[in-house]
Short mmCIF file of all heavy atoms in Angstrom, two decimals:
data_model
loop_
_atom_site.label_atom_id
_atom_site.label_comp_id
_atom_site.label_asym_id
_atom_site.label_seq_id
_atom_site.Cartn_x
_atom_site.Cartn_y
_atom_site.Cartn_z
N MET F 1 -7.68 -1.33 8.60
CA MET F 1 -7.06 -2.49 8.54
C MET F 1 -5.70 -2.36 7.86
O MET F 1 -4.70 -2.92 8.28
CB MET F 1 -7.90 -3.39 7.52
CG MET F 1 -7.22 -4.79 7.30
SD MET F 1 -8.24 -5.88 6.37
CE MET F 1 -7.05 -6.67 5.49
N HIS F 2 -5.62 -1.52 6.78
CA HIS F 2 -4.37 -1.37 6.06
C HIS F 2 -3.21 -0.69 7.08
O HIS F 2 -2.19 -1.25 7.08
CB HIS F 2 -4.48 -0.51 4.85
CG HIS F 2 -3.11 0.01 4.28
ND1 HIS F 2 -2.73 1.26 4.62
CD2 HIS F 2 -2.27 -0.69 3.55
CE1 HIS F 2 -1.53 1.35 4.00
NE2 HIS F 2 -1.27 0.25 3.31
N ARG F 3 -3.69 0.37 7.70
CA ARG F 3 -2.82 1.05 8.58
C ARG F 3 -2.34 0.11 9.82
O ARG F 3 -1.05 0.15 10.21
CB ARG F 3 -3.42 2.28 9.14
CG ARG F 3 -2.40 3.27 9.88
CD ARG F 3 -1.37 3.59 8.84
NE ARG F 3 -0.22 4.27 9.52
CZ ARG F 3 0.46 5.09 9.10
NH1 ARG F 3 0.43 5.42 7.81
NH2 ARG F 3 1.40 5.62 9.79
N GLU F 4 -3.25 -0.67 10.24
CA GLU F 4 -2.74 -1.63 11.47
C GLU F 4 -1.68 -2.56 10.87
O GLU F 4 -0.75 -3.00 11.50
CB GLU F 4 -3.95 -2.40 11.88
CG GLU F 4 -4.90 -1.49 12.64
CD GLU F 4 -6.24 -2.08 13.08
OE1 GLU F 4 -6.39 -3.24 12.61
OE2 GLU F 4 -6.94 -1.40 13.64
N LEU F 5 -1.96 -3.12 9.64
CA LEU F 5 -1.04 -4.04 9.11
C LEU F 5 0.29 -3.50 8.78
O LEU F 5 1.36 -3.99 9.18
CB LEU F 5 -1.60 -4.68 7.79
CG LEU F 5 -0.87 -5.63 7.02
CD1 LEU F 5 -0.63 -6.93 7.84
CD2 LEU F 5 -1.37 -5.94 5.59
N PHE F 6 0.23 -2.22 8.17
CA PHE F 6 1.55 -1.49 7.96
C PHE F 6 2.34 -1.17 9.21
O PHE F 6 3.49 -1.54 9.35
CB PHE F 6 1.19 -0.25 7.22
CG PHE F 6 2.44 0.60 7.04
CD1 PHE F 6 3.25 0.31 5.95
CD2 PHE F 6 2.84 1.59 7.92
CE1 PHE F 6 4.32 1.06 5.65
CE2 PHE F 6 3.97 2.28 7.62
CZ PHE F 6 4.70 2.01 6.55
N ASP F 7 1.57 -0.70 10.31
CA ASP F 7 2.21 -0.49 11.45
C ASP F 7 2.94 -1.72 12.18
O ASP F 7 3.92 -1.68 12.75
CB ASP F 7 1.21 0.11 12.50
CG ASP F 7 0.85 1.62 12.10
OD1 ASP F 7 1.54 2.28 11.35
OD2 ASP F 7 -0.22 2.08 12.67
N TRP F 8 2.11 -2.81 12.07
CA TRP F 8 2.70 -4.19 12.56
C TRP F 8 4.02 -4.52 11.81
O TRP F 8 5.01 -4.89 12.55
CB TRP F 8 1.60 -5.22 12.53
CG TRP F 8 2.01 -6.50 13.12
CD1 TRP F 8 2.09 -6.76 14.49
CD2 TRP F 8 2.75 -7.65 12.46
NE1 TRP F 8 2.61 -7.90 14.73
CE2 TRP F 8 3.03 -8.50 13.49
CE3 TRP F 8 3.09 -7.91 11.21
CZ2 TRP F 8 3.54 -9.80 13.34
CZ3 TRP F 8 3.70 -9.02 11.06
CH2 TRP F 8 3.92 -10.07 11.94
N TYR F 9 4.04 -4.50 10.50
CA TYR F 9 5.23 -4.83 9.68
C TYR F 9 6.27 -3.83 10.04
O TYR F 9 7.50 -4.11 10.17
CB TYR F 9 4.83 -4.71 8.29
CG TYR F 9 4.30 -6.07 7.72
CD1 TYR F 9 3.22 -6.05 6.86
CD2 TYR F 9 4.87 -7.24 7.96
CE1 TYR F 9 2.66 -7.07 6.40
CE2 TYR F 9 4.35 -8.39 7.55
CZ TYR F 9 3.22 -8.44 6.75
OH TYR F 9 2.84 -9.60 6.33
N ASN F 10 5.91 -2.43 10.13
CA ASN F 10 6.92 -1.46 10.49
C ASN F 10 7.56 -1.71 11.91
O ASN F 10 8.80 -1.57 12.04
CB ASN F 10 6.26 -0.06 10.54
CG ASN F 10 7.24 1.00 10.43
OD1 ASN F 10 8.45 0.86 9.97
ND2 ASN F 10 6.85 2.20 10.85
N ALA F 11 6.77 -2.23 12.82
CA ALA F 11 7.47 -2.56 14.19
C ALA F 11 8.17 -3.85 14.14
O ALA F 11 9.11 -4.06 14.89
CB ALA F 11 6.28 -2.54 15.19
N SER F 12 7.81 -4.82 13.31
CA SER F 12 8.37 -6.16 13.26
C SER F 12 9.60 -6.37 12.41
O SER F 12 10.55 -7.19 12.59
CB SER F 12 7.26 -7.24 12.83
OG SER F 12 6.24 -7.07 13.71
N LEU F 13 9.65 -5.56 11.38
CA LEU F 13 10.76 -5.68 10.27
C LEU F 13 11.79 -4.53 10.43
O LEU F 13 11.41 -3.45 10.80
CB LEU F 13 10.22 -5.78 8.96
CG LEU F 13 9.14 -6.95 8.69
CD1 LEU F 13 8.51 -6.86 7.35
CD2 LEU F 13 9.76 -8.37 8.75
N CYS F 14 12.84 -4.84 9.90
CA CYS F 14 13.85 -3.75 9.72
C CYS F 14 14.06 -3.34 8.34
O CYS F 14 14.40 -4.21 7.47
CB CYS F 14 15.31 -4.24 10.35
SG CYS F 14 15.17 -4.63 12.14
N GLY F 15 14.10 -2.13 8.07
CA GLY F 15 14.42 -1.62 6.74
C GLY F 15 13.20 -1.26 5.91
O GLY F 15 12.24 -2.13 5.91
N GLU F 16 13.17 -0.27 5.14
CA GLU F 16 11.97 0.10 4.35
C GLU F 16 11.70 -0.99 3.30
O GLU F 16 10.54 -1.19 2.99
CB GLU F 16 12.34 1.50 3.54
CG GLU F 16 12.12 2.70 4.33
CD GLU F 16 12.13 3.93 3.45
OE1 GLU F 16 12.40 3.73 2.26
OE2 GLU F 16 11.91 4.95 4.16
N SER F 17 12.82 -1.50 2.63
CA SER F 17 12.58 -2.37 1.63
C SER F 17 11.82 -3.78 2.01
O SER F 17 10.95 -4.22 1.33
CB SER F 17 13.89 -2.79 0.83
OG SER F 17 14.69 -3.52 1.80
N GLN F 18 12.21 -4.25 3.22
CA GLN F 18 11.43 -5.38 3.70
C GLN F 18 9.93 -5.10 4.05
O GLN F 18 9.13 -5.84 3.74
CB GLN F 18 12.12 -5.82 5.11
CG GLN F 18 13.40 -6.56 4.77
CD GLN F 18 14.00 -7.08 6.10
OE1 GLN F 18 13.34 -6.86 7.22
NE2 GLN F 18 15.05 -7.88 6.05
N ILE F 19 9.68 -3.85 4.66
CA ILE F 19 8.39 -3.44 4.93
C ILE F 19 7.49 -3.42 3.60
O ILE F 19 6.43 -3.87 3.49
CB ILE F 19 8.36 -2.12 5.72
CG1 ILE F 19 9.05 -2.43 7.10
CG2 ILE F 19 6.95 -1.68 5.94
CD1 ILE F 19 9.43 -1.09 7.77
N LEU F 20 8.21 -2.67 2.62
CA LEU F 20 7.42 -2.40 1.37
C LEU F 20 7.08 -3.79 0.56
O LEU F 20 6.07 -3.88 0.11
CB LEU F 20 8.24 -1.49 0.40
CG LEU F 20 8.23 0.03 0.93
CD1 LEU F 20 9.10 0.80 0.06
CD2 LEU F 20 6.86 0.54 0.97
N LEU F 21 8.01 -4.58 0.68
CA LEU F 21 7.77 -5.92 0.07
C LEU F 21 6.68 -6.70 0.50
O LEU F 21 5.81 -7.29 -0.11
CB LEU F 21 8.98 -6.88 0.07
CG LEU F 21 10.24 -6.43 -0.92
CD1 LEU F 21 11.46 -7.30 -0.53
CD2 LEU F 21 9.78 -6.61 -2.33
N LYS F 22 6.51 -6.68 1.86
CA LYS F 22 5.41 -7.29 2.63
C LYS F 22 4.05 -6.57 2.28
O LYS F 22 3.06 -7.25 1.94
CB LYS F 22 5.61 -7.27 4.09
CG LYS F 22 6.74 -8.22 4.52
CD LYS F 22 6.38 -9.66 4.29
CE LYS F 22 7.44 -10.47 4.87
NZ LYS F 22 7.12 -11.96 4.70
N VAL F 23 3.95 -5.22 2.40
CA VAL F 23 2.63 -4.67 2.24
C VAL F 23 2.27 -4.45 0.88
O VAL F 23 1.10 -4.55 0.56
CB VAL F 23 2.71 -3.31 2.91
CG1 VAL F 23 2.85 -3.47 4.39
CG2 VAL F 23 3.66 -2.29 2.42
N LYS F 24 3.13 -4.42 -0.12
CA LYS F 24 2.76 -4.29 -1.54
C LYS F 24 2.05 -5.52 -2.02
O LYS F 24 1.14 -5.42 -2.83
CB LYS F 24 4.01 -4.02 -2.42
CG LYS F 24 4.50 -2.61 -2.38
CD LYS F 24 5.68 -2.59 -3.25
CE LYS F 24 6.51 -1.32 -3.11
NZ LYS F 24 7.62 -1.21 -3.96
N SER F 25 2.57 -6.68 -1.50
CA SER F 25 1.93 -7.90 -1.99
C SER F 25 0.53 -8.12 -1.60
O SER F 25 -0.16 -8.83 -2.35
CB SER F 25 2.73 -9.13 -1.42
OG SER F 25 2.68 -9.28 -0.07
N PHE F 26 0.10 -7.36 -0.62
CA PHE F 26 -1.29 -7.54 -0.21
C PHE F 26 -2.38 -6.91 -1.01
O PHE F 26 -3.47 -7.15 -1.15
CB PHE F 26 -1.57 -6.98 1.23
CG PHE F 26 -1.12 -8.01 2.31
CD1 PHE F 26 0.22 -7.97 2.77
CD2 PHE F 26 -1.84 -9.04 2.76
CE1 PHE F 26 0.70 -8.78 3.74
CE2 PHE F 26 -1.41 -9.91 3.71
CZ PHE F 26 -0.18 -9.83 4.13
N TRP F 27 -1.85 -6.02 -1.85
CA TRP F 27 -2.77 -5.22 -2.82
C TRP F 27 -3.21 -6.20 -3.86
O TRP F 27 -4.51 -5.91 -4.40
CB TRP F 27 -2.04 -4.05 -3.45
CG TRP F 27 -1.97 -2.98 -2.47
CD1 TRP F 27 -0.84 -2.59 -1.71
CD2 TRP F 27 -2.93 -2.10 -1.86
NE1 TRP F 27 -0.97 -1.66 -0.82
CE2 TRP F 27 -2.32 -1.39 -0.88
CE3 TRP F 27 -4.28 -2.03 -2.02
CZ2 TRP F 27 -3.06 -0.42 -0.08
CZ3 TRP F 27 -5.02 -1.08 -1.29
CH2 TRP F 27 -4.41 -0.41 -0.40
N ASP F 28 -2.62 -7.11 -4.29
CA ASP F 28 -3.05 -8.21 -5.25
C ASP F 28 -4.35 -8.85 -4.70
O ASP F 28 -5.29 -9.19 -5.38
CB ASP F 28 -2.21 -9.17 -5.54
CG ASP F 28 -1.00 -8.68 -6.43
OD1 ASP F 28 -1.30 -7.72 -7.17
OD2 ASP F 28 0.21 -9.17 -6.30
N TYR F 29 -4.43 -8.96 -3.26
CA TYR F 29 -5.61 -9.72 -2.76
C TYR F 29 -6.63 -8.79 -2.22
O TYR F 29 -7.88 -9.04 -2.22
CB TYR F 29 -5.03 -10.58 -1.68
CG TYR F 29 -4.01 -11.53 -2.06
CD1 TYR F 29 -2.70 -11.45 -1.87
CD2 TYR F 29 -4.40 -12.78 -2.87
CE1 TYR F 29 -1.76 -12.34 -2.43
CE2 TYR F 29 -3.49 -13.63 -3.36
CZ TYR F 29 -2.17 -13.39 -3.13
OH TYR F 29 -1.33 -14.40 -3.51
N LEU F 30 -6.12 -7.63 -1.66
CA LEU F 30 -7.05 -6.69 -1.15
C LEU F 30 -8.05 -6.00 -2.14
O LEU F 30 -9.17 -5.91 -1.98
CB LEU F 30 -6.49 -5.57 -0.28
CG LEU F 30 -5.74 -6.15 1.10
CD1 LEU F 30 -4.97 -4.98 1.61
CD2 LEU F 30 -6.72 -6.62 1.99
N LEU F 31 -7.42 -5.51 -3.14
CA LEU F 31 -8.24 -4.73 -4.10
C LEU F 31 -7.66 -5.11 -5.54
O LEU F 31 -6.95 -4.33 -6.15
CB LEU F 31 -8.03 -3.23 -3.98
CG LEU F 31 -8.71 -2.67 -2.58
CD1 LEU F 31 -8.27 -1.33 -2.40
CD2 LEU F 31 -10.21 -2.92 -2.67
N PRO F 32 -7.95 -6.20 -6.00
CA PRO F 32 -7.44 -6.56 -7.42
C PRO F 32 -7.99 -5.72 -8.55
O PRO F 32 -7.38 -5.59 -9.61
CB PRO F 32 -7.95 -8.02 -7.63
CG PRO F 32 -9.02 -8.27 -6.61
CD PRO F 32 -8.81 -7.25 -5.47
N GLU F 33 -9.23 -5.19 -8.31
CA GLU F 33 -9.70 -4.34 -9.39
C GLU F 33 -9.62 -2.78 -9.12
O GLU F 33 -10.20 -2.01 -9.80
CB GLU F 33 -11.25 -4.48 -9.33
CG GLU F 33 -11.64 -6.01 -9.57
CD GLU F 33 -11.09 -6.52 -10.96
OE1 GLU F 33 -11.17 -5.70 -11.90
OE2 GLU F 33 -10.63 -7.70 -10.97
N VAL F 34 -8.57 -2.35 -8.34
CA VAL F 34 -8.25 -0.96 -8.05
C VAL F 34 -7.85 -0.37 -9.31
O VAL F 34 -7.27 -1.06 -10.17
CB VAL F 34 -7.41 -0.76 -6.96
CG1 VAL F 34 -5.90 -1.21 -7.30
CG2 VAL F 34 -7.47 0.58 -6.32
N GLU F 35 -8.09 1.00 -9.45
CA GLU F 35 -7.60 1.72 -10.72
C GLU F 35 -6.12 1.49 -10.99
O GLU F 35 -5.31 1.36 -10.11
CB GLU F 35 -7.87 3.20 -10.45
CG GLU F 35 -7.49 4.03 -11.61
CD GLU F 35 -7.68 5.60 -11.36
OE1 GLU F 35 -8.41 6.01 -10.43
OE2 GLU F 35 -6.92 6.31 -12.04
N LYS F 36 -5.93 1.22 -12.33
CA LYS F 36 -4.65 0.80 -12.65
C LYS F 36 -3.47 1.76 -12.38
O LYS F 36 -2.30 1.49 -11.96
CB LYS F 36 -4.54 0.46 -14.21
CG LYS F 36 -4.02 -0.71 -14.57
CD LYS F 36 -4.16 -0.91 -16.12
CE LYS F 36 -3.75 -2.37 -16.35
NZ LYS F 36 -3.96 -2.69 -17.78
N ARG F 37 -3.88 3.19 -12.56
CA ARG F 37 -2.85 4.16 -12.27
C ARG F 37 -2.44 4.13 -10.84
O ARG F 37 -1.21 4.07 -10.52
CB ARG F 37 -3.50 5.60 -12.56
CG ARG F 37 -2.64 6.73 -12.35
CD ARG F 37 -3.42 7.99 -12.51
NE ARG F 37 -4.71 8.14 -11.85
CZ ARG F 37 -4.79 8.64 -10.55
NH1 ARG F 37 -3.81 9.07 -10.02
NH2 ARG F 37 -5.90 8.76 -10.02
N LEU F 38 -3.27 4.07 -9.91
CA LEU F 38 -2.86 4.10 -8.49
C LEU F 38 -2.30 2.65 -8.07
O LEU F 38 -1.22 2.70 -7.39
CB LEU F 38 -4.05 4.33 -7.62
CG LEU F 38 -4.53 5.72 -7.54
CD1 LEU F 38 -5.90 5.88 -6.81
CD2 LEU F 38 -3.59 6.66 -7.11
N ARG F 39 -2.63 1.57 -8.66
CA ARG F 39 -2.14 0.30 -8.34
C ARG F 39 -0.70 0.27 -8.82
O ARG F 39 0.18 -0.16 -8.04
CB ARG F 39 -2.89 -0.83 -8.96
CG ARG F 39 -2.48 -2.17 -8.64
CD ARG F 39 -3.36 -3.01 -9.49
NE ARG F 39 -2.87 -4.37 -9.47
CZ ARG F 39 -3.40 -5.37 -8.65
NH1 ARG F 39 -4.31 -5.03 -7.83
NH2 ARG F 39 -2.84 -6.53 -8.65
N LYS F 40 -0.42 0.86 -9.94
CA LYS F 40 0.86 0.83 -10.46
C LYS F 40 1.87 1.73 -9.54
O LYS F 40 2.98 1.34 -9.34
CB LYS F 40 0.93 1.39 -11.90
CG LYS F 40 2.33 1.31 -12.60
CD LYS F 40 2.07 1.74 -14.06
CE LYS F 40 3.45 1.68 -14.72
NZ LYS F 40 3.32 2.07 -16.25
N LYS F 41 1.36 2.89 -9.21
CA LYS F 41 2.01 3.75 -8.27
C LYS F 41 2.38 2.94 -6.94
O LYS F 41 3.49 3.15 -6.41
CB LYS F 41 1.33 5.08 -7.94
CG LYS F 41 1.47 6.09 -9.00
CD LYS F 41 0.82 7.28 -8.50
CE LYS F 41 1.05 8.51 -9.50
NZ LYS F 41 0.56 9.70 -9.04
N ILE F 42 1.56 2.24 -6.39
CA ILE F 42 1.68 1.48 -5.10
C ILE F 42 2.79 0.50 -5.41
O ILE F 42 3.75 0.46 -4.55
CB ILE F 42 0.44 0.85 -4.75
CG1 ILE F 42 -0.46 1.84 -4.09
CG2 ILE F 42 0.82 -0.11 -3.63
CD1 ILE F 42 -1.89 1.33 -3.79
N ILE F 43 2.74 -0.29 -6.39
CA ILE F 43 3.63 -1.32 -6.73
C ILE F 43 5.07 -0.67 -6.87
O ILE F 43 6.07 -1.33 -6.49
CB ILE F 43 3.27 -2.18 -7.94
CG1 ILE F 43 1.92 -2.81 -7.53
CG2 ILE F 43 4.36 -3.18 -8.25
CD1 ILE F 43 1.91 -3.72 -6.28
N LYS F 44 5.15 0.42 -7.61
CA LYS F 44 6.49 1.07 -7.91
C LYS F 44 7.08 1.95 -6.88
O LYS F 44 8.10 2.49 -6.99
CB LYS F 44 6.35 1.89 -9.28
CG LYS F 44 6.17 0.92 -10.56
CD LYS F 44 6.26 1.78 -11.69
CE LYS F 44 6.40 0.81 -12.94
NZ LYS F 44 7.40 1.19 -13.81
N SER F 45 6.34 2.27 -5.86
CA SER F 45 6.76 3.06 -4.78
C SER F 45 8.20 2.36 -4.13
O SER F 45 8.14 1.17 -3.99
CB SER F 45 5.78 3.22 -3.77
OG SER F 45 5.40 2.10 -3.08
N ASN F 46 9.15 3.27 -4.08
CA ASN F 46 10.36 2.78 -3.58
C ASN F 46 10.73 3.29 -2.13
O ASN F 46 11.84 2.94 -1.72
CB ASN F 46 11.55 3.14 -4.57
CG ASN F 46 11.62 4.52 -4.86
OD1 ASN F 46 10.90 5.38 -4.19
ND2 ASN F 46 12.39 5.03 -5.84
N ASN F 47 9.89 4.03 -1.51
CA ASN F 47 10.14 4.44 -0.17
C ASN F 47 8.80 4.47 0.57
O ASN F 47 7.78 4.49 -0.01
CB ASN F 47 10.91 5.72 -0.01
CG ASN F 47 10.22 6.92 -0.60
OD1 ASN F 47 9.02 7.25 -0.31
ND2 ASN F 47 10.85 7.56 -1.56
N ILE F 48 8.73 4.50 1.79
CA ILE F 48 7.64 4.49 2.63
C ILE F 48 6.82 5.66 2.53
O ILE F 48 5.54 5.62 2.40
CB ILE F 48 7.88 4.21 4.13
CG1 ILE F 48 8.45 2.81 4.33
CG2 ILE F 48 6.84 4.47 5.02
CD1 ILE F 48 8.95 2.46 5.79
N LEU F 49 7.43 6.82 2.39
CA LEU F 49 6.54 8.16 2.33
C LEU F 49 5.79 8.13 0.89
O LEU F 49 4.61 8.41 0.95
CB LEU F 49 7.50 9.25 2.32
CG LEU F 49 8.11 9.67 3.59
CD1 LEU F 49 9.10 10.77 3.50
CD2 LEU F 49 7.02 9.89 4.75
N THR F 50 6.35 7.59 -0.18
CA THR F 50 5.63 7.57 -1.45
C THR F 50 4.52 6.60 -1.29
O THR F 50 3.39 6.78 -1.71
CB THR F 50 6.61 7.22 -2.58
OG1 THR F 50 7.69 8.13 -2.67
CG2 THR F 50 5.93 7.11 -3.91
N TYR F 51 4.79 5.39 -0.77
CA TYR F 51 3.87 4.38 -0.58
C TYR F 51 2.65 4.87 0.26
O TYR F 51 1.46 4.69 -0.10
CB TYR F 51 4.41 3.16 0.06
CG TYR F 51 3.41 2.10 0.55
CD1 TYR F 51 2.99 1.22 -0.51
CD2 TYR F 51 2.94 2.04 1.77
CE1 TYR F 51 2.03 0.24 -0.08
CE2 TYR F 51 1.96 1.15 2.20
CZ TYR F 51 1.55 0.21 1.16
OH TYR F 51 0.58 -0.76 1.44
N LEU F 52 2.87 5.50 1.42
CA LEU F 52 1.75 5.91 2.23
C LEU F 52 1.02 7.10 1.57
O LEU F 52 -0.26 7.08 1.71
CB LEU F 52 2.37 6.45 3.54
CG LEU F 52 2.77 5.29 4.54
CD1 LEU F 52 3.54 5.89 5.62
CD2 LEU F 52 1.79 4.36 4.93
N ALA F 53 1.56 7.91 0.77
CA ALA F 53 0.99 9.03 0.06
C ALA F 53 -0.04 8.42 -0.99
O ALA F 53 -1.14 8.81 -1.18
CB ALA F 53 1.95 9.98 -0.45
N THR F 54 0.58 7.46 -1.67
CA THR F 54 -0.27 6.83 -2.76
C THR F 54 -1.44 5.98 -2.18
O THR F 54 -2.58 6.04 -2.77
CB THR F 54 0.71 5.83 -3.67
OG1 THR F 54 1.73 6.62 -4.03
CG2 THR F 54 -0.06 5.27 -4.70
N THR F 55 -1.20 5.30 -1.09
CA THR F 55 -2.34 4.47 -0.49
C THR F 55 -3.39 5.53 0.05
O THR F 55 -4.55 5.16 0.01
CB THR F 55 -1.91 3.61 0.53
OG1 THR F 55 -1.11 4.21 1.63
CG2 THR F 55 -1.01 2.49 -0.04
N GLN F 56 -3.00 6.62 0.56
CA GLN F 56 -3.81 7.72 1.00
C GLN F 56 -4.75 8.17 -0.15
O GLN F 56 -5.94 8.41 0.03
CB GLN F 56 -3.20 8.81 1.67
CG GLN F 56 -4.08 9.87 2.22
CD GLN F 56 -4.93 9.38 3.27
OE1 GLN F 56 -4.53 8.54 4.17
NE2 GLN F 56 -6.14 9.81 3.40
N MET F 57 -4.11 8.45 -1.33
CA MET F 57 -4.90 8.88 -2.45
C MET F 57 -5.87 7.76 -2.82
O MET F 57 -7.00 8.06 -3.30
CB MET F 57 -3.97 9.09 -3.57
CG MET F 57 -3.18 10.40 -3.61
SD MET F 57 -2.30 10.87 -5.12
CE MET F 57 -1.21 9.37 -5.42
N LEU F 58 -5.53 6.59 -2.77
CA LEU F 58 -6.39 5.48 -3.13
C LEU F 58 -7.62 5.44 -2.27
O LEU F 58 -8.72 5.30 -2.65
CB LEU F 58 -5.62 4.17 -3.09
CG LEU F 58 -6.50 2.97 -3.21
CD1 LEU F 58 -7.06 2.71 -4.68
CD2 LEU F 58 -5.70 1.62 -2.93
N PHE F 59 -7.42 5.51 -0.88
CA PHE F 59 -8.42 5.45 0.02
C PHE F 59 -9.41 6.70 -0.11
O PHE F 59 -10.48 6.53 0.03
CB PHE F 59 -7.97 5.29 1.43
CG PHE F 59 -7.27 4.13 1.72
CD1 PHE F 59 -6.01 4.04 2.40
CD2 PHE F 59 -7.91 2.89 1.57
CE1 PHE F 59 -5.42 2.85 2.71
CE2 PHE F 59 -7.32 1.73 1.85
CZ PHE F 59 -6.12 1.59 2.29
N GLU F 60 -8.83 7.78 -0.45
CA GLU F 60 -9.65 8.99 -0.62
C GLU F 60 -10.61 8.84 -1.88
O GLU F 60 -11.65 9.08 -1.93
CB GLU F 60 -8.75 10.29 -0.81
CG GLU F 60 -8.24 10.69 0.38
CD GLU F 60 -7.19 11.83 0.28
OE1 GLU F 60 -6.97 12.32 -0.90
OE2 GLU F 60 -6.59 12.29 1.29
N GLU F 61 -9.97 8.23 -2.92
CA GLU F 61 -10.76 7.94 -4.20
C GLU F 61 -11.82 6.95 -3.97
O GLU F 61 -12.96 6.98 -4.44
CB GLU F 61 -9.88 7.47 -5.34
CG GLU F 61 -9.28 8.59 -6.02
CD GLU F 61 -8.64 8.21 -7.32
OE1 GLU F 61 -9.02 7.14 -7.91
OE2 GLU F 61 -7.70 8.88 -7.82
N LEU F 62 -11.52 5.92 -3.25
CA LEU F 62 -12.58 4.93 -2.93
C LEU F 62 -13.65 5.45 -2.06
O LEU F 62 -14.83 5.13 -2.22
CB LEU F 62 -11.86 3.69 -2.13
CG LEU F 62 -10.90 2.73 -3.02
CD1 LEU F 62 -10.26 1.77 -2.17
CD2 LEU F 62 -11.71 2.17 -4.13
N SER F 63 -13.35 6.28 -1.03
CA SER F 63 -14.45 6.86 -0.16
C SER F 63 -15.36 7.81 -1.04
O SER F 63 -16.48 7.94 -0.85
CB SER F 63 -13.88 7.53 1.04
OG SER F 63 -13.09 8.58 0.72
N ALA F 64 -14.70 8.52 -1.93
CA ALA F 64 -15.36 9.39 -2.76
C ALA F 64 -16.50 8.77 -3.79
O ALA F 64 -17.47 9.24 -4.05
CB ALA F 64 -14.49 10.38 -3.70
N GLN F 65 -16.07 7.50 -4.05
CA GLN F 65 -16.85 6.70 -5.03
C GLN F 65 -18.04 6.13 -4.25
O GLN F 65 -18.98 5.82 -4.91
CB GLN F 65 -15.99 5.51 -5.62
CG GLN F 65 -15.08 6.04 -6.60
CD GLN F 65 -14.19 4.81 -7.22
OE1 GLN F 65 -14.34 3.74 -6.77
NE2 GLN F 65 -13.33 5.12 -8.04
N GLY F 66 -17.97 5.99 -2.94
CA GLY F 66 -19.00 5.56 -2.19
C GLY F 66 -18.94 4.22 -1.61
O GLY F 66 -19.55 3.48 -1.27
#
């Protein structure tokens, strides 16, 4: 779901900042109880590569938790 949403915004919007503003706001609704350290990294990410790497770490931690 996250990747599909990200890809849609990436195709629809121009510029990294617009894309990041849209996708970052969804984390408040998708996973409000996510680990604070990763949530902070997601919110503070200032480019797409950092954002995607951080969300990947988050998904790996969530899958490891069960």
Side-chain angles (χ1 to χ4, degrees):
M1 178 178 145
H2 168 263
R3 190 61 192 207
E4 291 171 358
L5 179 68
F6 178 84
D7 289 343
W8 186 82
Y9 278 131
N10 195 24
S12 302
L13 300 173
C14 295
E16 278 190 0
S17 60
Q18 287 183 351
I19 297 165
L20 289 173
L21 284 173
K22 291 289 188 182
V23 293
K24 285 182 193 180
S25 64
F26 281 96
W27 288 103
D28 289 330
Y29 302 103
L30 291 176
L31 294 172
E33 301 299 322
V34 74
E35 183 184 337
K36 226 176 196 177
R37 174 184 59 88
L38 288 174
R39 184 182 170 99
K40 187 175 182 180
K41 279 187 174 184
I42 289 171
I43 300 302
K44 289 191 170 225
S45 58
N46 56 5
N47 63 55
I48 289 177
L49 291 177
T50 304
Y51 172 81
L52 291 175
T54 306
T55 55
Q56 183 63 37
M57 284 191 303
L58 171 69
F59 290 131
E60 288 172 4
E61 278 194 22
L62 289 174
S63 66
Q65 290 175 2

